[in-house]
Amino acid sequence: MINKVGIIGSGTMGSGIAQVAATSGCKVKLYDTNQAALDKAKSALEKILARLVEKGRIDSAEKNRIQTNISYSDSLKDLSDSDLTIEAIVENLEIKKKVFSELESYVSDECIIASNTSSLSIASIAASLQKPERCIGIHFFNPAPLMQLVEVIPAIQTSKEVLDKSVKIISDWKKTVAIAKDTPGFIVNRVARPFYSEALRIYEEGIADFETIDRSMKTLGGFRMGPFELMDFIGNDVNYTVTETVFAAFYFDPRYKPAFTQKRFAEAGYLGRKSGKGYYNYDENGSIVPQISNVPQNAPEVSGEESELAQQIFDRVLVMLINEAADALFWNIASAKDIDKAMTKGVNYPKGLLAWADEKGIDWCVSNMDALYNEYHEDRYRCSPLLRRMNGKGMRFEV
Protein backbone atom coordinates (compact mmCIF):
# COMPACT_ATOMS: atom_id res chain seq x y z
CA MET A 1 0.00 0.00 0.00
CA ILE A 2 1.44 3.36 -1.04
CA ASN A 3 0.40 6.12 1.37
CA LYS A 4 3.51 8.25 1.79
CA VAL A 5 4.92 10.00 -1.26
CA GLY A 6 8.08 12.05 -1.60
CA ILE A 7 8.44 14.57 -4.43
CA ILE A 8 11.88 15.87 -5.37
CA GLY A 9 11.75 19.33 -6.94
CA SER A 10 9.17 22.01 -6.16
CA GLY A 11 8.90 23.56 -9.62
CA THR A 12 5.68 23.61 -11.61
CA MET A 13 5.82 19.88 -12.36
CA GLY A 14 6.86 18.72 -8.90
CA SER A 15 4.25 20.90 -7.23
CA GLY A 16 1.61 19.66 -9.65
CA ILE A 17 2.40 16.02 -8.91
CA ALA A 18 2.31 16.80 -5.18
CA GLN A 19 -1.17 18.28 -5.62
CA VAL A 20 -2.37 15.19 -7.50
CA ALA A 21 -1.06 12.79 -4.83
CA ALA A 22 -2.38 14.90 -1.95
CA THR A 23 -5.81 15.20 -3.57
CA SER A 24 -5.95 11.40 -3.73
CA GLY A 25 -5.29 11.15 0.00
CA CYS A 26 -1.55 10.48 0.13
CA LYS A 27 0.70 12.15 2.66
CA VAL A 28 3.19 14.09 0.56
CA LYS A 29 6.57 15.59 1.38
CA LEU A 30 7.75 18.10 -1.23
CA TYR A 31 11.53 18.51 -1.19
CA ASP A 32 13.71 21.21 -2.70
CA THR A 33 17.17 22.50 -1.83
CA ASN A 34 15.89 26.07 -2.20
CA GLN A 35 13.66 27.30 0.65
CA ALA A 36 12.46 30.21 -1.47
CA ALA A 37 11.28 27.76 -4.14
CA LEU A 38 9.37 25.81 -1.48
CA ASP A 39 7.73 29.00 -0.22
CA LYS A 40 6.77 29.88 -3.78
CA ALA A 41 5.29 26.41 -4.35
CA LYS A 42 3.23 26.65 -1.16
CA SER A 43 1.93 30.08 -2.12
CA ALA A 44 1.11 28.93 -5.66
CA LEU A 45 -0.86 25.93 -4.33
CA GLU A 46 -2.84 28.24 -2.05
CA LYS A 47 -3.84 30.37 -5.05
CA ILE A 48 -4.72 27.34 -7.20
CA LEU A 49 -6.90 25.78 -4.52
CA ALA A 50 -8.55 29.13 -3.66
CA ARG A 51 -9.45 29.50 -7.34
CA LEU A 52 -10.97 26.00 -7.35
CA VAL A 53 -13.08 26.96 -4.32
CA GLU A 54 -14.23 30.14 -6.08
CA LYS A 55 -15.27 28.10 -9.12
CA GLY A 56 -17.14 25.61 -6.95
CA ARG A 57 -14.87 22.70 -7.95
CA ILE A 58 -13.98 21.97 -4.32
CA ASP A 59 -15.13 23.28 -0.94
CA SER A 60 -13.06 24.84 1.84
CA ALA A 61 -12.83 21.55 3.74
CA GLU A 62 -11.36 19.82 0.68
CA LYS A 63 -8.93 22.71 0.18
CA ASN A 64 -7.71 22.37 3.76
CA ARG A 65 -7.45 18.58 3.46
CA ILE A 66 -5.22 18.83 0.37
CA GLN A 67 -3.00 21.46 1.97
CA THR A 68 -2.70 19.46 5.19
CA ASN A 69 -1.59 16.42 3.17
CA ILE A 70 1.48 18.31 1.88
CA SER A 71 4.51 19.20 3.98
CA TYR A 72 7.61 21.02 2.70
CA SER A 73 11.26 20.23 3.38
CA ASP A 74 14.74 21.29 2.31
CA SER A 75 16.29 18.05 3.63
CA LEU A 76 16.32 14.95 1.44
CA LYS A 77 16.52 12.82 4.59
CA ASP A 78 12.93 13.82 5.41
CA LEU A 79 11.78 11.58 2.55
CA SER A 80 13.12 8.51 4.38
CA ASP A 81 9.66 7.10 5.26
CA SER A 82 8.33 7.36 1.66
CA ASP A 83 6.66 4.41 -0.05
CA LEU A 84 7.16 6.15 -3.40
CA THR A 85 9.42 9.00 -4.46
CA ILE A 86 9.07 10.87 -7.74
CA GLU A 87 11.90 13.06 -8.98
CA ALA A 88 10.97 16.14 -11.02
CA ILE A 89 14.17 18.15 -11.36
CA VAL A 90 16.35 19.41 -14.22
CA GLU A 91 16.71 17.13 -17.27
CA ASN A 92 20.35 16.29 -16.58
CA LEU A 93 21.26 12.62 -16.28
CA GLU A 94 24.28 13.08 -14.00
CA ILE A 95 22.37 15.31 -11.58
CA LYS A 96 19.48 12.84 -11.43
CA LYS A 97 21.83 9.91 -10.81
CA LYS A 98 23.54 11.79 -8.00
CA VAL A 99 20.23 12.62 -6.32
CA PHE A 100 18.95 9.05 -6.69
CA SER A 101 22.12 7.57 -5.23
CA GLU A 102 21.85 9.82 -2.16
CA LEU A 103 18.11 9.22 -1.82
CA GLU A 104 18.59 5.45 -1.77
CA SER A 105 20.74 5.73 1.34
CA TYR A 106 17.78 7.21 3.24
CA VAL A 107 14.69 5.29 2.08
CA SER A 108 13.65 1.71 2.83
CA ASP A 109 14.41 -1.20 0.52
CA GLU A 110 10.72 -1.32 -0.46
CA CYS A 111 10.49 2.31 -1.54
CA ILE A 112 9.88 2.81 -5.28
CA ILE A 113 12.19 5.43 -6.78
CA ALA A 114 10.71 7.05 -9.89
CA SER A 115 11.79 9.71 -12.36
CA ASN A 116 9.48 12.13 -14.16
CA THR A 117 12.00 12.51 -17.00
CA SER A 118 10.43 13.12 -20.41
CA SER A 119 13.18 11.57 -22.51
CA LEU A 120 16.22 10.36 -20.54
CA SER A 121 17.09 6.67 -20.20
CA ILE A 122 15.42 5.05 -17.19
CA ALA A 123 17.99 2.24 -17.39
CA SER A 124 20.81 4.77 -16.96
CA ILE A 125 19.10 6.37 -13.99
CA ALA A 126 18.40 2.95 -12.43
CA ALA A 127 22.06 2.01 -12.79
CA SER A 128 22.93 4.61 -10.15
CA LEU A 129 21.06 2.56 -7.51
CA GLN A 130 22.14 -0.39 -5.42
CA LYS A 131 18.67 -1.83 -6.06
CA PRO A 132 17.98 -0.82 -9.67
CA GLU A 133 14.90 -3.05 -9.81
CA ARG A 134 13.06 -0.45 -7.68
CA CYS A 135 13.50 2.28 -10.31
CA ILE A 136 10.86 3.25 -12.90
CA GLY A 137 9.81 6.17 -15.07
CA ILE A 138 6.55 7.91 -14.15
CA HIS A 139 6.12 10.75 -16.63
CA PHE A 140 3.38 13.30 -15.98
CA PHE A 141 2.38 16.01 -18.44
CA ASN A 142 2.15 19.69 -17.60
CA PRO A 143 0.02 20.85 -15.84
CA ALA A 144 -0.07 17.60 -13.89
CA PRO A 145 -3.40 18.20 -12.07
CA LEU A 146 -5.19 18.81 -15.40
CA MET A 147 -3.51 16.49 -17.90
CA GLN A 148 -4.98 13.01 -17.82
CA LEU A 149 -2.09 10.94 -19.19
CA VAL A 150 0.85 9.48 -17.28
CA GLU A 151 3.44 7.40 -19.12
CA VAL A 152 4.83 4.57 -16.98
CA ILE A 153 8.22 3.37 -18.23
CA PRO A 154 9.88 0.27 -16.77
CA ALA A 155 13.64 -0.01 -17.31
CA ILE A 156 15.11 -3.36 -18.23
CA GLN A 157 16.08 -3.62 -14.53
CA THR A 158 12.59 -2.80 -13.18
CA SER A 159 10.82 -5.64 -11.38
CA LYS A 160 7.28 -6.63 -12.37
CA GLU A 161 6.15 -5.93 -8.82
CA VAL A 162 7.36 -2.33 -9.05
CA LEU A 163 5.68 -1.90 -12.46
CA ASP A 164 2.38 -3.32 -11.16
CA LYS A 165 2.46 -1.16 -8.02
CA SER A 166 3.28 1.95 -10.06
CA VAL A 167 0.44 1.38 -12.51
CA LYS A 168 -1.99 0.82 -9.62
CA ILE A 169 -1.06 3.96 -7.70
CA ILE A 170 -1.25 6.18 -10.78
CA SER A 171 -4.62 4.63 -11.66
CA ASP A 172 -5.75 5.21 -8.07
CA TRP A 173 -4.81 8.86 -8.57
CA LYS A 174 -7.47 8.90 -11.33
CA LYS A 175 -4.93 9.21 -14.14
CA THR A 176 -4.84 7.35 -17.46
CA VAL A 177 -1.78 5.09 -17.71
CA ALA A 178 0.10 4.27 -20.91
CA ILE A 179 2.99 1.81 -20.52
CA ALA A 180 5.97 2.59 -22.74
CA LYS A 181 9.28 0.94 -23.55
CA ASP A 182 12.39 2.71 -22.27
CA THR A 183 13.38 4.35 -25.57
CA PRO A 184 14.06 8.03 -26.41
CA GLY A 185 10.97 10.21 -26.01
CA PHE A 186 8.88 7.22 -24.82
CA ILE A 187 5.52 7.55 -26.63
CA VAL A 188 4.39 11.17 -26.78
CA ASN A 189 7.70 12.99 -27.20
CA ARG A 190 8.67 10.55 -29.94
CA VAL A 191 5.42 10.31 -31.88
CA ALA A 192 4.70 14.05 -31.67
CA ARG A 193 8.01 15.15 -33.21
CA PRO A 194 6.67 15.48 -36.81
CA PHE A 195 3.93 17.86 -35.63
CA TYR A 196 6.69 20.38 -35.00
CA SER A 197 9.49 19.29 -37.32
CA GLU A 198 7.41 18.86 -40.48
CA ALA A 199 5.67 22.18 -39.87
CA LEU A 200 9.10 23.82 -39.55
CA ARG A 201 10.26 22.04 -42.69
CA ILE A 202 7.23 23.30 -44.63
CA TYR A 203 8.01 26.84 -43.47
CA GLU A 204 11.73 26.56 -44.28
CA GLU A 205 10.90 25.37 -47.80
CA GLY A 206 8.92 28.56 -48.30
CA ILE A 207 5.62 26.77 -48.80
CA ALA A 208 3.62 28.68 -46.19
CA ASP A 209 3.91 31.02 -43.21
CA PHE A 210 3.38 30.20 -39.54
CA GLU A 211 -0.26 31.33 -39.47
CA THR A 212 -1.24 29.40 -42.60
CA ILE A 213 0.31 26.20 -41.27
CA ASP A 214 -1.34 26.60 -37.88
CA ARG A 215 -4.70 27.42 -39.44
CA SER A 216 -4.51 24.39 -41.72
CA MET A 217 -3.92 21.99 -38.82
CA LYS A 218 -6.69 23.50 -36.70
CA THR A 219 -9.30 23.92 -39.41
CA LEU A 220 -8.79 20.70 -41.34
CA GLY A 221 -7.49 18.52 -38.50
CA GLY A 222 -9.33 19.81 -35.46
CA PHE A 223 -6.15 20.37 -33.44
CA ARG A 224 -6.66 22.79 -30.55
CA MET A 225 -3.40 24.59 -31.33
CA GLY A 226 -1.28 24.73 -34.44
CA PRO A 227 2.39 23.61 -34.35
CA PHE A 228 3.81 27.13 -34.02
CA GLU A 229 1.28 28.19 -31.39
CA LEU A 230 2.10 25.05 -29.44
CA MET A 231 5.87 25.52 -29.72
CA ASP A 232 5.42 29.07 -28.42
CA PHE A 233 3.29 27.71 -25.57
CA ILE A 234 5.84 25.02 -24.63
CA GLY A 235 8.81 27.35 -25.12
CA ASN A 236 11.12 27.19 -28.13
CA ASP A 237 14.11 26.52 -25.90
CA VAL A 238 12.39 23.54 -24.24
CA ASN A 239 10.96 22.11 -27.46
CA TYR A 240 14.26 22.49 -29.32
CA THR A 241 16.18 20.78 -26.51
CA VAL A 242 13.79 17.81 -26.54
CA THR A 243 14.14 17.53 -30.33
CA GLU A 244 17.93 17.72 -30.10
CA THR A 245 17.96 15.10 -27.32
CA VAL A 246 15.73 12.68 -29.25
CA PHE A 247 17.79 13.22 -32.44
CA ALA A 248 21.05 12.37 -30.67
CA ALA A 249 19.52 9.46 -28.75
CA PHE A 250 18.34 7.88 -32.02
CA TYR A 251 21.89 7.96 -33.36
CA PHE A 252 21.09 11.00 -35.50
CA ASP A 253 18.25 9.41 -37.44
CA PRO A 254 17.20 12.10 -39.99
CA ARG A 255 13.54 11.61 -39.02
CA TYR A 256 14.25 13.55 -35.82
CA LYS A 257 16.60 16.19 -37.22
CA PRO A 258 16.10 19.61 -35.57
CA ALA A 259 15.31 22.71 -37.63
CA PHE A 260 17.62 25.72 -37.91
CA THR A 261 14.62 28.03 -37.62
CA GLN A 262 13.80 26.83 -34.13
CA LYS A 263 17.47 26.86 -33.14
CA ARG A 264 17.83 30.48 -34.22
CA PHE A 265 14.61 31.51 -32.45
CA ALA A 266 15.86 29.87 -29.25
CA GLU A 267 19.27 31.55 -29.62
CA ALA A 268 17.62 34.93 -30.16
CA GLY A 269 15.56 34.52 -27.01
CA TYR A 270 12.32 34.32 -29.01
CA LEU A 271 11.00 31.61 -26.72
CA GLY A 272 7.28 32.18 -27.15
CA ARG A 273 4.70 33.24 -24.59
CA LYS A 274 7.13 33.34 -21.69
CA SER A 275 9.39 35.87 -23.46
CA GLY A 276 6.58 37.81 -25.17
CA LYS A 277 7.89 36.92 -28.61
CA GLY A 278 8.25 33.69 -30.57
CA TYR A 279 6.68 32.73 -33.85
CA TYR A 280 4.03 35.22 -32.75
CA ASN A 281 4.12 38.33 -30.55
CA TYR A 282 2.25 38.23 -27.23
CA ASP A 283 0.73 40.84 -24.94
CA GLU A 284 1.00 40.84 -21.16
CA ASN A 285 -1.96 38.43 -20.93
CA GLY A 286 -0.32 35.89 -23.22
CA SER A 287 -2.65 36.65 -26.15
CA ILE A 288 -1.30 36.77 -29.69
CA VAL A 289 -0.80 40.29 -31.04
CA PRO A 290 -1.79 40.70 -34.72
CA GLN A 291 1.33 41.17 -36.81
CA ILE A 292 2.59 41.51 -40.34
CA SER A 293 2.63 38.16 -42.11
CA ASN A 294 5.88 36.22 -41.84
CA VAL A 295 5.29 34.48 -45.18
CA PRO A 296 8.52 33.80 -47.09
CA GLN A 297 8.90 35.74 -50.33
CA ASN A 298 8.57 32.70 -52.61
CA ALA A 299 5.49 31.24 -50.91
CA PRO A 300 2.25 31.00 -52.92
CA GLU A 301 -0.77 33.01 -51.82
CA VAL A 302 -3.48 31.28 -49.82
CA SER A 303 -6.99 31.58 -51.19
CA GLY A 304 -8.75 30.31 -48.04
CA GLU A 305 -8.68 27.86 -45.14
CA GLU A 306 -10.05 25.06 -47.27
CA SER A 307 -7.62 25.73 -50.11
CA GLU A 308 -5.51 23.14 -51.87
CA LEU A 309 -2.46 24.49 -50.03
CA ALA A 310 -4.09 23.99 -46.62
CA GLN A 311 -5.00 20.41 -47.56
CA GLN A 312 -1.44 19.78 -48.74
CA ILE A 313 -0.03 21.05 -45.43
CA PHE A 314 -2.46 19.05 -43.31
CA ASP A 315 -1.97 15.82 -45.26
CA ARG A 316 1.81 16.10 -45.09
CA VAL A 317 1.97 16.67 -41.33
CA LEU A 318 -0.70 14.07 -40.60
CA VAL A 319 0.89 11.27 -42.62
CA MET A 320 4.24 11.91 -40.93
CA LEU A 321 2.54 11.66 -37.52
CA ILE A 322 0.75 8.46 -38.52
CA ASN A 323 4.00 7.01 -39.86
CA GLU A 324 5.74 7.74 -36.55
CA ALA A 325 2.91 6.17 -34.55
CA ALA A 326 2.98 3.07 -36.77
CA ASP A 327 6.74 2.81 -36.36
CA ALA A 328 6.41 3.04 -32.57
CA LEU A 329 4.03 0.08 -32.77
CA PHE A 330 6.37 -1.74 -35.15
CA TRP A 331 9.20 -1.44 -32.62
CA ASN A 332 6.96 -2.48 -29.70
CA ILE A 333 7.33 0.84 -27.90
CA ALA A 334 3.76 0.46 -26.66
CA SER A 335 0.50 -1.20 -27.60
CA ALA A 336 -1.69 0.31 -30.31
CA LYS A 337 -4.24 1.19 -27.65
CA ASP A 338 -1.65 2.95 -25.46
CA ILE A 339 -0.14 4.83 -28.40
CA ASP A 340 -3.50 6.31 -29.38
CA LYS A 341 -4.43 6.89 -25.74
CA ALA A 342 -1.14 8.72 -25.18
CA MET A 343 -1.68 11.13 -28.06
CA THR A 344 -5.29 11.96 -27.20
CA LYS A 345 -4.82 12.19 -23.43
CA GLY A 346 -1.22 13.47 -23.34
CA VAL A 347 -1.26 16.17 -26.01
CA ASN A 348 -4.99 16.47 -26.73
CA TYR A 349 -4.91 15.26 -30.34
CA PRO A 350 -8.45 15.21 -31.77
CA LYS A 351 -8.19 11.46 -32.40
CA GLY A 352 -5.66 8.66 -32.10
CA LEU A 353 -3.17 8.52 -34.97
CA LEU A 354 -3.65 4.80 -35.61
CA ALA A 355 -7.41 5.28 -35.62
CA TRP A 356 -6.81 8.16 -38.04
CA ALA A 357 -4.78 5.80 -40.25
CA ASP A 358 -7.75 3.43 -40.37
CA GLU A 359 -10.00 6.33 -41.33
CA LYS A 360 -7.74 7.60 -44.10
CA GLY A 361 -6.83 4.09 -45.27
CA ILE A 362 -3.48 2.29 -45.06
CA ASP A 363 -3.06 2.71 -48.82
CA TRP A 364 -3.44 6.49 -48.42
CA CYS A 365 -0.72 6.48 -45.75
CA VAL A 366 1.73 4.43 -47.83
CA SER A 367 1.14 6.33 -51.06
CA ASN A 368 1.61 9.70 -49.34
CA MET A 369 4.80 8.58 -47.60
CA ASP A 370 6.15 7.16 -50.85
CA ALA A 371 5.29 10.38 -52.68
CA LEU A 372 7.33 12.37 -50.15
CA TYR A 373 10.23 9.94 -50.39
CA ASN A 374 10.14 10.01 -54.19
CA GLU A 375 10.22 13.80 -54.15
CA TYR A 376 13.02 14.26 -51.60
CA HIS A 377 14.90 10.93 -51.56
CA GLU A 378 15.62 11.49 -47.88
CA ASP A 379 15.53 8.74 -45.27
CA ARG A 380 13.41 11.15 -43.21
CA TYR A 381 10.46 10.11 -45.40
CA ARG A 382 10.86 6.33 -45.30
CA CYS A 383 7.58 4.50 -44.83
CA SER A 384 7.19 2.37 -41.71
CA PRO A 385 7.59 -1.34 -42.48
CA LEU A 386 4.38 -1.97 -40.56
CA LEU A 387 2.34 0.25 -42.88
CA ARG A 388 3.95 -1.36 -45.91
CA ARG A 389 3.18 -4.86 -44.59
CA MET A 390 -0.45 -3.90 -44.03
CA ASN A 391 -0.87 -2.16 -47.38
CA GLY A 392 -3.11 -3.84 -49.94
CA LYS A 393 -4.31 -6.52 -47.54
CA GLY A 394 -7.39 -4.80 -46.18
CA MET A 395 -5.78 -4.63 -42.75
CA ARG A 396 -6.65 -2.06 -40.07
CA PHE A 397 -5.26 -1.16 -36.64
CA GLU A 398 -8.76 -1.45 -35.09
CA VAL A 399 -7.73 0.51 -32.00
Side-chain angles (χ1 to χ4, degrees), residues 203-224:
Y203 170 76
E204 290 184 339
E205 287 183 31
I207 293 172
D209 66 346
F210 305 144
E211 294 172 272
T212 301
I213 297 167
D214 280 353
R215 190 168 62 245
S216 299
M217 298 308 297
K218 291 190 294 182
T219 303
L220 298 182
F223 289 88
R224 295 185 186 181

Side-chain angles (χ1 to χ4, degrees), residues 161-181:
E161 180 185 8
V162 166
L163 172 59
D164 291 344
K165 282 185 177 180
S166 299
V167 169
K168 185 179 186 307
I169 187 63
I170 298 304
S171 299
D172 288 346
W173 291 356
K174 304 296 188 293
K175 293 296 183 181
T176 298
V177 174
I179 300 174
K181 185 183 286 188

Side-chain angles (χ1 to χ4, degrees), residues 63-301:
K63 172 179 177 289
N64 293 334
R65 184 186 71 84
I66 294 170
Q67 288 177 307
T68 302
N69 279 343
I70 303 177
S71 58
Y72 302 81
S73 175
D74 61 0
S75 173
L76 194 61
K77 289 182 180 179
D78 287 342
L79 273 57
S80 61
D81 62 347
S82 300
D83 303 312
L84 166 68
T85 59
I86 302 176
E87 163 273 315
I89 60 175
V90 62
E91 283 287 86
N92 181 295
L93 182 60
E94 294 310 312
I95 292 175
K96 289 180 189 292
K97 290 172 79 168
K98 182 179 179 182
V99 170
F100 274 41
S101 181
E102 181 183 352
L103 175 69
E104 190 176 34
S105 68
Y106 303 135
V107 298
S108 71
D109 288 348
E110 289 71 40
C111 177
I112 296 172
I113 299 179
S115 175
N116 183 64
T117 180
S118 61
S119 58
L120 295 177
S121 163
I122 305 301
S124 291
I125 295 171
S128 66
L129 300 175
Q130 294 296 317
K131 289 174 61 66
E133 64 273 13
R134 68 162 74 196
C135 185
I136 195 166
I138 299 180
H139 178 219
F140 286 77
F141 290 79
N142 201 22
L146 299 180
M147 297 304 289
Q148 187 64 29
L149 183 78
V150 177
E151 292 177 324
V152 174
I153 311 100
I156 56 174
Q157 304 101 309
T158 307
S159 71
K160 186 178 185 304
E161 180 185 8
V162 166
L163 172 59
D164 291 344
K165 282 185 177 180
S166 299
V167 169
K168 185 179 186 307
I169 187 63
I170 298 304
S171 299
D172 288 346
W173 291 356
K174 304 296 188 293
K175 293 296 183 181
T176 298
V177 174
I179 300 174
K181 185 183 286 188
D182 184 16
T183 53
F186 311 135
I187 304 172
V188 172
N189 278 321
R190 172 187 180 146
V191 175
R193 299 279 34 102
F195 190 68
Y196 317 110
S197 63
E198 204 58 28
L200 284 158
R201 175 72 179 251
I202 290 168
Y203 170 76
E204 290 184 339
E205 287 183 31
I207 293 172
D209 66 346
F210 305 144
E211 294 172 272
T212 301
I213 297 167
D214 280 353
R215 190 168 62 245
S216 299
M217 298 308 297
K218 291 190 294 182
T219 303
L220 298 182
F223 289 88
R224 295 185 186 181
M225 300 177 76
F228 295 98
E229 288 177 292
L230 187 51
M231 285 186 281
D232 272 357
F233 180 79
I234 295 168
N236 278 301
D237 53 341
V238 174
N239 190 271
Y240 177 76
T241 299
V242 172
T243 304
E244 197 174 37
T245 300
V246 171
F247 180 51
F250 273 108
Y251 305 107
F252 305 101
D253 186 327
R255 281 214 317 237
Y256 309 108
K257 184 178 179 181
F260 282 115
T261 294
Q262 190 172 36
K263 180 176 173 62
R264 294 294 181 257
F265 269 64
E267 289 171 342
Y270 295 171
L271 308 182
R273 287 192 186 185
K274 63 185 176 184
S275 67
K277 182 176 178 62
Y279 299 113
Y280 300 95
N281 293 327
Y282 297 86
D283 62 23
E284 61 276 6
N285 298 316
S287 299
I288 294 175
V289 177
Q291 57 191 338
I292 299 173
S293 177
N294 50 51
V295 61
Q297 291 183 355
N298 62 335
E301 292 186 2

Side-chain angles (χ1 to χ4, degrees), residues 220 302-315:
L220 298 182
V302 182
S303 58
E305 292 179 346
E306 300 294 333
S307 69
E308 184 178 337
L309 175 60
Q311 190 68 53
Q312 174 193 340
I313 292 166
F314 169 65
D315 287 349

Side-chain angles (χ1 to χ4, degrees), residues 7-10 29-33 38 71 73-76 79:
I7 306 295
I8 302 172
S10 65
K29 290 181 180 177
L30 184 58
Y31 160 79
D32 202 297
T33 56
L38 290 170
S71 58
S73 175
D74 61 0
S75 173
L76 194 61
L79 273 57

